[in-house]
Amino acid sequence: MKWSQVKIMNNILLDSTVCFNKEGTFKLELDKDTTINIESDNVKLYLVTKNNIKVDFNILNSTTIYNITTESVTINIYNNAKIDFYNMAVTDKKIINEVNVYHRNKETISNFICHGISYLKGDLKLSVNGYIKKGMISSICNQSSRIINLDEGKSLIKPNLFIDEFDSTANHSAYTGPFDNKLLFYLETKGISKKEAFNLLLNGFMKMVELPKDYESVLDNILDKVTKRLLH
């Protein structure tokens, strides 16, 4: 996917609601609490937030969302829709990321994947809550969360599934801890410097999927700061 196909939607938020009613790929930068309605099928949304804000999603059709830095997200899924949500968080401060996923109709699907980095004196707490109420049959709620602690960084993951419907599927996995030193040692035995090996692990971990170059550069700038501060 080329970035030229992406509509850059900056500084358009005169109110606090944005609606996507055509399929396509979009980048959206936010600096205040916002509600986002996804009405069309096949929407890809690349989201960047500048401050600690809350974002509410109403998902009416299948969509994929990539998110950097938002601290509070609520996702409501309707109309047999499916959402793949990729969350990327990097911090050297104390922050709490909370994600709430509500299955509002039958046969809805959510896949939440979060990768985070807590470095220096960072303290990253991630709370992921999935809700399937009685009657929301054949719904699927999946969670996969991993946070890497670097230097004195700390982290905590709370994966919660609140399932009231027997005819549904819910899964979660969670990991917190450092990179495996054996991986760094292996890369260095192949002639790769410690800095290059660290960068390979860092980028491989955070870039879960292929990203448009312009969006990837936002993440690269964040990861460069991590490397410079840890390997100065």
Side-chain angles (χ1 to χ4, degrees):
M1 182 184 65
K2 296 181 180 179
W3 187 248
S4 58
Q5 295 174 303
V6 179
K7 294 182 179 179
I8 301 177
M9 305 177 62
N10 298 332
N11 304 318
I12 64 170
L13 297 181
L14 300 179
D15 55 32
S16 59
T17 302
V18 180
C19 181
F20 294 90
N21 52 23
K22 292 183 180 180
E23 68 176 57
T25 305
F26 307 90
K27 176 187 174 186
L28 183 59
E29 295 185 8
L30 304 176
D31 59 6
K32 64 179 180 179
D33 294 356
T34 305
T35 297
I36 298 175
N37 299 325
I38 307 291
E39 297 181 358
S40 177
D41 205 1
N42 299 319
V43 170
K44 276 190 177 182
L45 177 60
Y46 294 86
L47 183 65
V48 178
T49 58
K50 296 181 179 179
N51 300 311
N52 302 331
I53 65 173
K54 297 179 180 180
V55 181
D56 294 338
F57 291 94
N58 295 310
I59 309 297
L60 282 71
N61 271 295
S62 296
T63 187
T64 303
I65 297 173
Y66 305 86
N67 175 56
I68 298 177
T69 71
T70 303
E71 288 197 13
S72 180
V73 174
T74 297
I75 302 170
N76 299 293
I77 314 171
Y78 303 91
N79 296 358
N80 311 112
K82 173 186 176 183
I83 181 171
D84 295 318
F85 194 98
Y86 296 88
N87 192 69
M88 293 157 276
V90 181
T91 187
D92 60 350
K93 299 177 176 60
K94 184 176 181 178
I95 66 171
I96 298 175
N97 279 10
E98 182 174 355
V99 179
N100 295 292
V101 182
Y102 296 92
H103 291 254
R104 302 293 190 184
N105 280 110
K106 303 174 183 178
E107 301 177 357
T108 50
I109 299 174
S110 66
N111 296 308
F112 176 82
I113 304 98
C114 177
H115 282 194
I117 297 288
S118 180
Y119 70 105
L120 295 179
K121 296 186 181 298
D123 187 357
L124 175 57
K125 290 182 172 60
L126 173 65
S127 178
V128 188
N129 305 303
Y131 299 85
I132 300 179
K133 297 297 184 181
K134 186 68 176 177
M136 303 298 104
I137 62 172
S138 301
S139 291
I140 300 173
C141 182
N142 293 319
Q143 303 174 6
S144 177
S145 305
R146 298 184 67 195
I147 300 176
I148 297 297
N149 301 325
L150 301 174
D151 198 54
E152 298 180 38
K154 298 185 294 183
S155 62
L156 176 67
I157 299 174
K158 294 181 179 180
N160 299 310
L161 294 168
F162 302 95
I163 311 301
D164 295 327
E165 173 55 54
F166 180 78
D167 184 11
S168 63
T169 303
N171 301 286
H172 69 73
S173 63
Y175 169 82
T176 64
F179 283 131
D180 189 341
N181 285 330
K182 292 181 181 178
L183 293 175
L184 282 170
F185 177 76
Y186 173 79
L187 292 172
E188 290 182 55
T189 63
K190 300 301 179 181
I192 300 173
S193 70
K194 183 177 181 180
K195 182 176 181 179
E196 289 175 322
F198 182 79
N199 277 331
L200 283 173
L201 291 179
L202 199 61
N203 280 272
F205 175 70
M206 291 302 294
K207 297 175 183 177
M208 298 171 274
V209 293
E210 185 178 358
L211 301 171
K213 288 185 178 180
D214 222 17
Y215 189 77
E216 185 177 11
S217 67
V218 176
L219 188 58
D220 284 339
N221 289 336
I222 296 172
L223 297 181
D224 284 345
K225 292 178 182 178
V226 176
T227 301
K228 288 177 181 178
R229 296 188 67 182
L230 290 178
L231 299 178
H232 53 77

